[in-house]
């Protein structure tokens, strides 16, 4: 089985998630892992495709959206999954609605792989914004109820591994 994994990253969370997915699938498939900026191949000729990226300032990477648009028919006609890395979990459904093209058929689902706020991985204004966001979360009002309290985001390995297992189970059908 040939699996294509394409990701878009700026701070490294999506790359790390894509690598975790590839590693978990391991030698159960022939995996091709590409950053969208490295001109990934068409999904044609692959048995499964996984595409994903980070939500930054409420948006998915433009190059990844262009790749999806250019390969929409091929992606939608094969076992396909999408993932988003986003720091604000409660907004995941809104990000899916606003950033994933409605015409994309993800038969393997659209998954929330968590996110990160690590300023040391960034530069310039991005670094400043992430520091402000981390500080805002770290200094929340102690009287906020637990259900309203925001935790620092992190990647969600269990979700990543669950998708890997689902892909590995496809092997018998592909």
């Amino acid at each position: 089985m040939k699996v294509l994994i394409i990701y878009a990253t700026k701070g490294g969370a999506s790359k790390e998630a894509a690598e975790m997915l590839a590693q978990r699938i391991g030698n159960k498939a022939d995996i091709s892992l590409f950053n969208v900026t490295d001109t990934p191949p068409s999904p044609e000729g692959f048995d499964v495709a996984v595409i994903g990226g980070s939500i930054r300032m409420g948006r998915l990477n433009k190059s990844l959206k262009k790749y999806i648009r250019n390969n929409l028919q091929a992606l939608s006609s094969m076992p396909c999954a999408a993932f988003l890395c986003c720091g604000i979990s409660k907004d995941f459904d809104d990000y899916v609605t606003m950033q994933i093209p409605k015409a994309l058929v993800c038969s393997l689902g659209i998954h929330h792989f968590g996110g990160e706020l690590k300023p040391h991985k960034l530069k310039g204004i991005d670094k400043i914004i992430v520091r402000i966001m981390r500080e805002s979360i770290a200094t929340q009002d102690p009287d906020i109820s637990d259900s309203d309290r925001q935790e620092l985001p992190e990647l969600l390995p269990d979700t990543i591994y669950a998708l890997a297992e689902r892909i590995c189970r496809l092997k018998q059908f592909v």
Side-chain angles (χ1 to χ4, degrees):
M1 178 169 61
K2 291 177 66 177
V3 178
L4 176 63
I5 303 173
I6 297 174
Y7 64 90
T9 196
K10 183 155 183 162
S14 295
K15 177 182 180 186
E16 187 176 341
E19 289 172 345
M20 288 172 71
L21 179 66
Q23 183 178 22
R24 188 62 171 218
I25 295 169
N27 61 2
K28 297 174 184 150
D30 178 15
I31 299 167
S32 296
L33 183 66
F34 287 91
N35 185 327
V36 74
T37 60
D38 295 332
T39 314
S42 161
E44 294 174 11
F46 289 89
D47 300 306
V48 178
V50 179
I51 50 174
S54 297
I55 296 292
R56 300 190 51 80
M57 308 303 175
R59 298 186 186 268
L60 189 60
N61 177 283
K62 286 181 185 178
S63 295
L64 188 62
K65 287 175 97 169
K66 181 178 179 182
Y67 180 86
I68 293 168
R69 209 173 33 255
N70 291 343
N71 294 283
L72 190 61
Q73 186 173 6
L75 290 168
S76 294
S77 64
M78 65 191 307
C80 177
F83 71 86
L84 297 178
C85 291
C86 55
I88 304 174
S89 299
K90 67 180 177 66
D91 293 340
F92 174 74
D93 290 335
D94 292 337
Y95 294 140
V96 169
T97 301
M98 295 184 301
Q99 298 301 313
I100 302 292
K102 291 171 185 31
L104 178 64
V105 176
C106 293
S107 60
L108 299 174
I110 301 173
H111 305 269
H112 179 233
F113 279 4
E116 296 179 324
L117 291 176
K118 296 187 175 177
H120 68 277
K121 292 183 174 182
L122 302 169
K123 296 179 182 170
I125 192 74
D126 291 327
K127 187 173 202 160
I128 294 167
I129 290 169
V130 167
R131 278 192 186 143
I132 291 168
M133 290 174 69
R134 284 182 62 90
E135 182 66 24
S136 173
I137 292 169
T139 60
Q140 293 175 77
D141 184 343
D143 294 331
I144 293 176
S145 68
D146 287 343
S147 63
D148 292 333
R149 186 169 297 283
Q150 171 109 15
E151 299 295 325
L152 277 175
E154 57 187 38
L155 289 179
L156 304 171
D158 290 345
T159 306
I160 297 167
Y161 298 159
L163 177 58
E165 295 307 314
R166 189 166 179 195
I167 291 169
C168 289
R169 284 193 304 267
L170 284 175
K171 186 174 185 177
Q172 59 189 316
F173 301 110
V174 176

